[in-house]
mmCIF file of all heavy atoms in Angstrom:
data_model
loop_
_atom_site.group_PDB
_atom_site.id
_atom_site.type_symbol
_atom_site.label_atom_id
_atom_site.label_comp_id
_atom_site.label_asym_id
_atom_site.label_seq_id
_atom_site.Cartn_x
_atom_site.Cartn_y
_atom_site.Cartn_z
ATOM 1 N N VAL A 2 72.259 103.569 93.697
ATOM 2 C CA VAL A 2 72.492 102.970 95.018
ATOM 3 C C VAL A 2 73.263 103.868 96.008
ATOM 4 O O VAL A 2 74.104 104.586 95.582
ATOM 5 C CB VAL A 2 73.145 101.686 94.908
ATOM 6 C CG1 VAL A 2 74.531 101.773 94.357
ATOM 7 C CG2 VAL A 2 73.150 100.726 96.254
ATOM 8 N N LEU A 4 75.660 103.998 99.424
ATOM 9 C CA LEU A 4 76.568 103.092 99.996
ATOM 10 C C LEU A 4 77.048 103.711 101.327
ATOM 11 O O LEU A 4 77.375 104.854 101.432
ATOM 12 C CB LEU A 4 77.758 102.699 99.119
ATOM 13 C CG LEU A 4 77.417 102.109 97.850
ATOM 14 C CD1 LEU A 4 78.602 101.918 97.055
ATOM 15 C CD2 LEU A 4 76.687 100.758 97.996
ATOM 16 N N LEU A 29 71.648 95.411 95.775
ATOM 17 C CA LEU A 29 73.167 95.419 95.498
ATOM 18 C C LEU A 29 73.589 94.482 94.505
ATOM 19 O O LEU A 29 74.629 94.546 93.914
ATOM 20 C CB LEU A 29 73.932 95.357 96.845
ATOM 21 C CG LEU A 29 75.349 95.549 96.760
ATOM 22 C CD1 LEU A 29 75.573 97.029 96.390
ATOM 23 C CD2 LEU A 29 76.000 95.371 98.180
ATOM 24 N N ASN A 30 72.913 93.270 94.383
ATOM 25 C CA ASN A 30 73.310 92.277 93.454
ATOM 26 C C ASN A 30 73.332 92.654 91.934
ATOM 27 O O ASN A 30 73.817 91.926 91.198
ATOM 28 C CB ASN A 30 72.670 90.924 93.706
ATOM 29 C CG ASN A 30 71.182 91.012 93.433
ATOM 30 O OD1 ASN A 30 70.626 92.096 92.955
ATOM 31 N ND2 ASN A 30 70.374 90.006 93.733
ATOM 32 N N ARG A 31 72.817 93.824 91.770
ATOM 33 C CA ARG A 31 72.855 94.311 90.408
ATOM 34 C C ARG A 31 74.122 95.065 90.041
ATOM 35 O O ARG A 31 74.448 95.421 88.977
ATOM 36 C CB ARG A 31 71.791 95.337 90.077
ATOM 37 C CG ARG A 31 70.349 94.710 90.280
ATOM 38 C CD ARG A 31 69.306 95.808 90.229
ATOM 39 N NE ARG A 31 69.394 96.683 89.071
ATOM 40 C CZ ARG A 31 68.735 97.842 88.914
ATOM 41 N NH1 ARG A 31 67.969 98.230 89.849
ATOM 42 N NH2 ARG A 31 68.962 98.512 87.791
ATOM 43 N N TYR A 32 74.995 95.215 91.117
ATOM 44 C CA TYR A 32 76.180 96.084 91.086
ATOM 45 C C TYR A 32 77.428 95.324 91.304
ATOM 46 O O TYR A 32 77.526 94.380 92.115
ATOM 47 C CB TYR A 32 76.090 97.207 92.004
ATOM 48 C CG TYR A 32 75.009 98.137 91.748
ATOM 49 C CD1 TYR A 32 73.712 97.980 92.105
ATOM 50 C CD2 TYR A 32 75.299 99.390 91.128
ATOM 51 C CE1 TYR A 32 72.767 98.850 91.959
ATOM 52 C CE2 TYR A 32 74.290 100.294 90.764
ATOM 53 C CZ TYR A 32 73.021 100.010 91.240
ATOM 54 O OH TYR A 32 72.030 100.894 90.986
ATOM 55 N N ALA A 33 78.535 95.579 90.569
ATOM 56 C CA ALA A 33 79.801 95.236 90.950
ATOM 57 C C ALA A 33 80.296 96.169 92.046
ATOM 58 O O ALA A 33 79.992 97.370 92.031
ATOM 59 C CB ALA A 33 80.822 95.305 89.800
ATOM 60 N N VAL A 34 80.807 95.740 93.077
ATOM 61 C CA VAL A 34 81.280 96.663 94.252
ATOM 62 C C VAL A 34 82.767 96.515 94.400
ATOM 63 O O VAL A 34 83.329 95.416 94.489
ATOM 64 C CB VAL A 34 80.533 96.156 95.465
ATOM 65 C CG1 VAL A 34 81.021 97.050 96.729
ATOM 66 C CG2 VAL A 34 79.052 96.384 95.445
ATOM 67 N N GLY A 35 83.458 97.639 94.455
ATOM 68 C CA GLY A 35 84.815 97.656 94.647
ATOM 69 C C GLY A 35 85.253 98.391 96.002
ATOM 70 O O GLY A 35 84.524 99.117 96.521
ATOM 71 N N CYS A 50 87.553 93.973 94.252
ATOM 72 C CA CYS A 50 86.222 94.166 93.548
ATOM 73 C C CYS A 50 85.527 92.773 93.334
ATOM 74 O O CYS A 50 86.184 91.752 93.290
ATOM 75 C CB CYS A 50 86.507 94.678 92.271
ATOM 76 S SG CYS A 50 84.886 95.322 91.455
ATOM 77 N N ILE A 51 84.263 92.831 93.527
ATOM 78 C CA ILE A 51 83.437 91.534 93.306
ATOM 79 C C ILE A 51 82.329 91.831 92.349
ATOM 80 O O ILE A 51 81.614 92.879 92.366
ATOM 81 C CB ILE A 51 82.964 91.109 94.777
ATOM 82 C CG1 ILE A 51 82.204 89.674 94.545
ATOM 83 C CG2 ILE A 51 82.015 92.129 95.417
ATOM 84 C CD1 ILE A 51 82.066 89.010 95.940
ATOM 85 N N SER A 52 82.154 90.867 91.488
ATOM 86 C CA SER A 52 81.048 90.982 90.557
ATOM 87 C C SER A 52 79.740 90.774 91.127
ATOM 88 O O SER A 52 79.531 90.102 92.103
ATOM 89 C CB SER A 52 81.249 89.876 89.513
ATOM 90 O OG SER A 52 80.077 89.828 88.718
ATOM 91 N N GLY A 53 78.617 91.511 90.702
ATOM 92 C CA GLY A 53 77.347 91.396 91.079
ATOM 93 C C GLY A 53 76.644 90.033 90.562
ATOM 94 O O GLY A 53 75.633 89.708 91.006
ATOM 95 N N LEU A 54 77.162 89.549 89.385
ATOM 96 C CA LEU A 54 76.549 88.394 88.660
ATOM 97 C C LEU A 54 77.016 87.099 89.155
ATOM 98 O O LEU A 54 76.320 86.353 89.617
ATOM 99 C CB LEU A 54 76.728 88.713 87.130
ATOM 100 C CG LEU A 54 76.134 90.056 86.666
ATOM 101 C CD1 LEU A 54 76.598 90.101 85.185
ATOM 102 C CD2 LEU A 54 74.688 89.960 86.801
ATOM 103 N N SER A 57 82.659 86.736 90.863
ATOM 104 C CA SER A 57 84.048 86.757 90.598
ATOM 105 C C SER A 57 84.656 87.834 91.221
ATOM 106 O O SER A 57 84.093 88.931 91.488
ATOM 107 C CB SER A 57 84.283 86.722 89.073
ATOM 108 O OG SER A 57 83.746 87.998 88.419
ATOM 109 N N ARG A 72 80.229 88.924 99.516
ATOM 110 C CA ARG A 72 78.870 89.629 99.495
ATOM 111 C C ARG A 72 77.824 88.840 100.047
ATOM 112 O O ARG A 72 77.776 87.579 99.877
ATOM 113 C CB ARG A 72 78.599 90.214 98.165
ATOM 114 C CG ARG A 72 78.304 89.127 97.093
ATOM 115 C CD ARG A 72 78.191 89.801 95.674
ATOM 116 N NE ARG A 72 77.327 90.938 95.559
ATOM 117 C CZ ARG A 72 77.431 92.007 94.844
ATOM 118 N NH1 ARG A 72 78.532 92.003 94.003
ATOM 119 N NH2 ARG A 72 76.486 92.900 94.806
ATOM 120 N N VAL A 79 78.292 94.109 101.284
ATOM 121 C CA VAL A 79 79.732 93.655 100.796
ATOM 122 C C VAL A 79 80.601 93.727 101.908
ATOM 123 O O VAL A 79 80.640 94.742 102.579
ATOM 124 C CB VAL A 79 80.110 94.286 99.546
ATOM 125 C CG1 VAL A 79 81.565 93.850 99.129
ATOM 126 C CG2 VAL A 79 79.269 93.903 98.270
ATOM 127 N N ALA A 97 82.472 101.332 96.510
ATOM 128 C CA ALA A 97 81.917 101.985 95.309
ATOM 129 C C ALA A 97 81.262 100.888 94.518
ATOM 130 O O ALA A 97 81.543 99.807 94.465
ATOM 131 C CB ALA A 97 82.993 102.732 94.463
ATOM 132 N N GLY A 98 80.133 101.367 93.905
ATOM 133 C CA GLY A 98 79.340 100.467 93.024
ATOM 134 C C GLY A 98 79.241 100.816 91.621
ATOM 135 O O GLY A 98 79.262 102.098 91.229
ATOM 136 N N ARG A 99 79.140 100.003 90.716
ATOM 137 C CA ARG A 99 78.874 100.264 89.277
ATOM 138 C C ARG A 99 78.082 99.164 88.679
ATOM 139 O O ARG A 99 78.132 98.065 89.101
ATOM 140 C CB ARG A 99 80.182 100.389 88.492
ATOM 141 C CG ARG A 99 80.922 99.060 88.257
ATOM 142 C CD ARG A 99 82.291 99.289 87.686
ATOM 143 N NE ARG A 99 82.033 99.996 86.311
ATOM 144 C CZ ARG A 99 82.249 99.291 85.180
ATOM 145 N NH1 ARG A 99 82.460 98.039 85.154
ATOM 146 N NH2 ARG A 99 82.112 100.027 83.918
ATOM 147 N N ALA A 100 77.038 99.538 87.804
ATOM 148 C CA ALA A 100 76.165 98.664 87.129
ATOM 149 C C ALA A 100 76.948 98.023 85.874
ATOM 150 O O ALA A 100 76.572 98.428 84.835
ATOM 151 C CB ALA A 100 74.894 99.341 86.827
ATOM 152 N N GLY A 101 77.843 97.156 86.121
ATOM 153 C CA GLY A 101 78.637 96.618 84.998
ATOM 154 C C GLY A 101 79.626 95.625 85.544
ATOM 155 O O GLY A 101 79.458 95.109 86.661
ATOM 156 N N LYS A 102 80.602 95.395 84.714
ATOM 157 C CA LYS A 102 81.637 94.351 85.068
ATOM 158 C C LYS A 102 82.440 94.870 86.264
ATOM 159 O O LYS A 102 82.659 96.096 86.436
ATOM 160 C CB LYS A 102 82.449 94.099 83.894
ATOM 161 C CG LYS A 102 81.656 93.364 82.766
ATOM 162 C CD LYS A 102 82.484 92.999 81.603
ATOM 163 C CE LYS A 102 81.714 92.331 80.469
ATOM 164 N NZ LYS A 102 82.621 92.027 79.304
ATOM 165 N N PRO A 103 83.186 94.022 86.921
ATOM 166 C CA PRO A 103 84.080 94.476 87.968
ATOM 167 C C PRO A 103 85.210 95.220 87.389
ATOM 168 O O PRO A 103 85.617 95.098 86.166
ATOM 169 C CB PRO A 103 84.710 93.182 88.501
ATOM 170 C CG PRO A 103 83.633 92.149 88.314
ATOM 171 C CD PRO A 103 82.962 92.570 86.982
ATOM 172 N N SER A 104 85.815 96.148 88.087
ATOM 173 C CA SER A 104 86.867 97.034 87.663
ATOM 174 C C SER A 104 87.742 97.495 88.790
ATOM 175 O O SER A 104 87.311 97.465 89.958
ATOM 176 C CB SER A 104 86.288 98.302 86.943
ATOM 177 O OG SER A 104 87.245 99.268 86.664
ATOM 178 N N PHE A 110 83.331 103.740 88.478
ATOM 179 C CA PHE A 110 82.293 103.645 89.590
ATOM 180 C C PHE A 110 81.594 105.008 89.688
ATOM 181 O O PHE A 110 82.221 105.987 89.702
ATOM 182 C CB PHE A 110 82.905 103.248 90.835
ATOM 183 C CG PHE A 110 83.424 101.750 90.790
ATOM 184 C CD1 PHE A 110 84.703 101.533 90.269
ATOM 185 C CD2 PHE A 110 82.739 100.749 91.300
ATOM 186 C CE1 PHE A 110 85.180 100.219 90.152
ATOM 187 C CE2 PHE A 110 83.293 99.370 91.310
ATOM 188 C CZ PHE A 110 84.448 99.214 90.737
ATOM 189 N N ASP A 111 80.295 104.862 89.859
ATOM 190 C CA ASP A 111 79.469 106.106 90.014
ATOM 191 C C ASP A 111 78.690 106.269 91.306
ATOM 192 O O ASP A 111 78.179 107.227 91.584
ATOM 193 C CB ASP A 111 78.440 106.203 88.825
ATOM 194 C CG ASP A 111 77.677 104.957 88.532
ATOM 195 O OD1 ASP A 111 77.568 104.184 89.562
ATOM 196 O OD2 ASP A 111 77.249 104.883 87.480
ATOM 197 N N SER A 112 78.781 105.256 92.168
ATOM 198 C CA SER A 112 78.246 105.433 93.570
ATOM 199 C C SER A 112 79.308 105.176 94.554
ATOM 200 O O SER A 112 79.986 104.167 94.582
ATOM 201 C CB SER A 112 77.015 104.358 93.638
ATOM 202 O OG SER A 112 76.102 104.681 92.685
#
Side-chain angles (χ1 to χ4, degrees):
V2 66
L4 303 173
L29 193 59
N30 62 6
R31 298 172 54 192
Y32 295 82
V34 176
C50 191
I51 186 167
S52 168
L54 299 175
S57 58
R72 64 191 306 151
V79 169
R99 70 185 302 257
K102 295 180 180 180
S104 173
F110 292 79
D111 47 23
S112 298

